[in-house]
Amino acid sequence: MLENILTVGEQVLVLFLLMAVGFVCGKLKILTGNAVASITDLLLYIVTPCMILYSYQRAFDPDMLRGFLIAFAAAVGIHLINIVLSLLLIRDRDQARRRVLQFAAIFSNCGYMSIPLQQAVLGSDGVFYGSAYIAIFNLIFWSFGVFLMSGDRKAFSGKRILLNPGILPVLAGILMFLLSIPLPEFLNTTMASIASLNTPLPMFIIGYYLSNVRFRECPISGAVCWSMALRLILLPFLALGLMALCGVRGVVLVTSTIAASAPAAAATTMFALKFHQDTDLSAELVSLTTLFSILTMPLAVGVAQFLA
């Protein structure tokens, strides 16, 4: 198991070195807020959809479909457990703080952080199964997540949930997989080239945000530590244990564990800003969970690989 942990640790270290590049670029003003906003849109609307679609370019395989459905069910269960336990265990008299603390514990950075690691450790199969987690993440993120941060029940609108860039490429990819629809080779090559950007660009963005955090002005309170412990340790290892008990094994177990053990979603800060919650707290949680995940993710994923 130690070998598995070290292998994953090396992959995570590569991601953190890429973050360091983004951090330095942020400090040197090579990356600016406007540039990062544009890169984020590029990732959201072009790069990640290409990565997901490319992973579905394979002949129909009943075993792959069965694995995808298991990954889909696991993602549903993980998110429901995250929601219930976070709402029960995280308390704060300040509503703005409580919303951010709960949101950060519930939602992992399963896009920016997990897909590059799934690609590095498991190849296209990891991205294939990982897209099931992302689909569930987006369904819950754009419904319950918006409701949690805003208190607006209109967040459960079907249009808002389904018509987002995290769901559409998954639906298109599933259709192509089920019907075994191959794309022309030149399109596959183009998508592969674009998809290769999905590892460095998200890490540059996270590094940029880290470069703007004033850590000396961010006291680490007990509430912050508790939310971090839930996101990085308690919830991921609970998910891993329950999946193992339910008989989930192989690539699906490792893929789901990578997504479940990722740090707080970068969107925690974006939503806190949009819905006028505690923005400083959100930046602190995203930054600190990202930093500490270099220790916790290899452990969780190493255990998953051992059990797989």
Side-chain angles (χ1 to χ4, degrees):
M1 187 173 71
L2 180 59
E3 183 179 351
N4 293 333
I5 293 173
L6 291 175
T7 300
V8 176
E10 288 180 1
Q11 298 294 343
V12 174
L13 181 59
V14 170
L15 299 183
F16 270 82
L17 290 175
L18 291 172
M19 282 186 213
V21 174
F23 182 90
V24 172
C25 288
K27 288 295 185 183
L28 297 178
K29 308 301 181 185
I30 295 174
L31 281 177
T32 63
N34 288 336
V36 167
S38 297
I39 294 173
T40 300
D41 287 341
L42 179 67
L43 275 166
L44 188 63
Y45 295 106
I46 304 296
V47 177
T48 299
C50 280
M51 166 71 84
I52 292 172
L53 284 172
Y54 184 70
S55 73
Y56 283 93
Q57 281 298 292
R58 59 183 75 216
F60 175 76
D61 182 342
D63 289 335
M64 292 292 290
L65 177 60
R66 183 163 52 251
F68 183 87
L69 294 176
I70 292 172
F72 195 87
V76 172
I78 289 169
H79 280 94
L80 290 178
I81 291 170
N82 288 359
I83 289 171
V84 171
L85 291 183
S86 296
L87 294 182
L88 287 175
L89 298 177
I90 295 177
R91 299 289 183 180
D92 197 292
R93 292 182 180 180
D94 186 326
Q95 179 176 269
R97 284 178 54 82
R98 185 179 71 251
R99 290 180 187 274
V100 171
L101 291 166
Q102 291 172 339
F103 191 98
I106 293 168
F107 295 105
S108 71
N109 200 346
C110 62
Y112 287 174
M113 194 77 176
S114 296
I115 288 184
L117 187 56
Q118 288 161 347
Q119 174 71 25
V121 175
L122 302 167
S124 61
D125 285 355
V127 178
F128 179 84
Y129 293 127
S131 68
Y133 196 99
I134 288 177
I136 295 301
F137 171 89
N138 278 287
L139 285 172
I140 299 175
F141 176 81
W142 288 103
S143 53
F144 179 80
V146 174
F147 169 71
L148 178 62
M149 278 290 201
S150 67
D152 183 3
R153 295 185 181 276
K154 293 180 181 179
F156 295 100
S157 157
K159 181 179 179 180
R160 174 182 284 178
I161 295 171
L162 293 175
L163 297 181
N164 71 74
I167 293 294
L168 294 178
V170 174
L171 295 177
I174 290 173
L175 183 64
M176 290 191 296
F177 171 68
L178 291 176
L179 300 178
S180 294
I181 301 175
L183 292 176
E185 187 57 34
F186 73 91
L187 280 181
N188 268 330
T189 302
T190 302
M191 282 201 303
S193 298
I194 295 173
S196 66
L197 298 173
N198 199 71
T199 297
L201 292 185
M203 298 304 105
F204 291 168
I205 291 173
I206 294 173
Y208 168 79
Y209 281 119
L210 287 174
S211 74
N212 287 284
V213 175
R214 299 176 181 178
F215 290 101
R216 292 182 180 179
E217 298 178 10
C218 295
I220 303 178
S221 65
V224 169
C225 290
W226 181 230
S227 180
M228 288 173 56
L230 284 170
R231 167 87 316 271
L232 296 177
I233 301 172
L234 299 179
L235 294 175
F237 280 95
L238 176 61
L240 173 57
L242 290 175
M243 284 190 291
L245 287 175
C246 291
V248 180
R249 293 292 187 273
V251 177
V252 174
L253 178 64
V254 179
T255 298
S256 301
T257 301
I258 290 173
S261 63
T268 305
T269 298
M270 290 184 281
F271 269 28
L273 183 63
K274 178 178 178 63
F275 297 115
H276 310 292
Q277 305 302 334
D278 194 327
T279 308
D280 290 341
L281 175 63
S282 70
E284 180 182 7
L285 283 166
V286 172
S287 302
L288 290 175
T289 54
T290 300
L291 287 174
F292 282 106
S293 68
I294 194 173
L295 301 175
T296 58
M297 283 190 79
L299 181 60
V301 179
V303 172
Q305 287 185 311
F306 177 75
L307 294 175

